[in-house]
Amino acid sequence: MDLLPKPDQVVAATGNVAHKVLYGGLADLRPMPRVLIDDGQLREVYHYRPDPSVPETGDPVLLVTPLAAPATCFDLRRGCSLVEHLVRSGRPTYLVEYGQVSFRDRNLGMEHWISEVVPSAIREVSAHAGGRPVHVVGWSLGGIFSVLTVAHDPDLPVASLSVVGSPFDLSRVPLIAPLRPCSTSTCCLRSCAR
């Protein structure tokens, strides 16, 4: 640690102070207000409070979080939040969160999220919104859970399904390439072609 700041550090600090004085802070990290409407094993369903100045419009949106990311991934900061955008647009907005996954949950497979967590969240959101169909938006592994859930139970009240950044083709994920098993004929064909 330097006892005397370098010129670039002084400039950066001055910019931060000026921004705080002029605009009231560096970032507004307050989460959008929400209320818990349902919970179960590794499932918490929240409803974001509607903006009273905006009339409600459209069917509800359920945001399905990635398994290893906090729910704040959809609500980063004011002015940079998907939740804020949806609420300020008048859209009934919901989120399913998984709570604290621990060592005792190590035997749960994907089927727990596909047959229990996501379908229960969809049904609860639909019921809370007066029986309307739900627009499901899943991010990363939450997108994979959502797609497999809708494929597993086509009778769910789903109006649409959108996935963002879901790694369906794991051959395109270089970080886990060494961990992929080489048991398929495709893998053997690739190694023979070299």
Side-chain angles (χ1 to χ4, degrees), residues 60-71:
V61 174
L62 171 63
L63 303 171
V64 182
T65 59
L67 186 59

Side-chain angles (χ1 to χ4, degrees), residues 56-93:
E56 189 177 281
T57 181
D59 292 326
V61 174
L62 171 63
L63 303 171
V64 182
T65 59
L67 186 59
T72 56
C73 65
F74 288 113
D75 190 18
L76 296 175
R77 63 177 172 81
R78 300 292 170 98
C80 187
S81 165
L82 177 60
V83 170
E84 180 184 27
H85 170 75
L86 292 169
V87 168
R88 298 235 193 279
S89 300
R91 185 69 71 154
T93 306

Side-chain angles (χ1 to χ4, degrees), residues 45-158:
V45 181
Y46 292 93
H47 175 233
Y48 286 93
R49 292 200 178 116
D51 185 337
S53 65
V54 178
E56 189 177 281
T57 181
D59 292 326
V61 174
L62 171 63
L63 303 171
V64 182
T65 59
L67 186 59
T72 56
C73 65
F74 288 113
D75 190 18
L76 296 175
R77 63 177 172 81
R78 300 292 170 98
C80 187
S81 165
L82 177 60
V83 170
E84 180 184 27
H85 170 75
L86 292 169
V87 168
R88 298 235 193 279
S89 300
R91 185 69 71 154
T93 306
Y94 299 81
L95 175 122
V96 61
E97 198 172 0
Y98 310 122
Q100 194 68 28
V101 180
S102 67
F103 184 73
R104 66 184 157 91
D105 303 313
R106 69 189 175 279
N107 292 325
L108 290 176
M110 283 182 72
E111 64 275 0
H112 173 70
W113 281 267
I114 295 164
S115 62
E116 296 293 326
V117 173
V118 178
S120 296
I122 291 170
R123 286 186 191 99
E124 187 61 35
V125 167
S126 177
H128 189 266
R132 292 185 298 191
V134 179
H135 296 283
V136 179
V137 178
W139 183 18
S140 189
L141 192 53
I144 293 173
F145 291 161
S146 300
V147 167
L148 294 175
T149 296
V150 172
H152 176 71
D153 189 352
D155 294 328
L156 286 168
V158 174

Side-chain angles (χ1 to χ4, degrees), residues 166-177 180 190:
S166 296
F168 286 97
D169 183 358
L170 295 180
S171 70
R172 302 288 185 185
V173 183
L175 185 62
I176 64 167
R180 283 193 302 270
R190 274 192 226 142

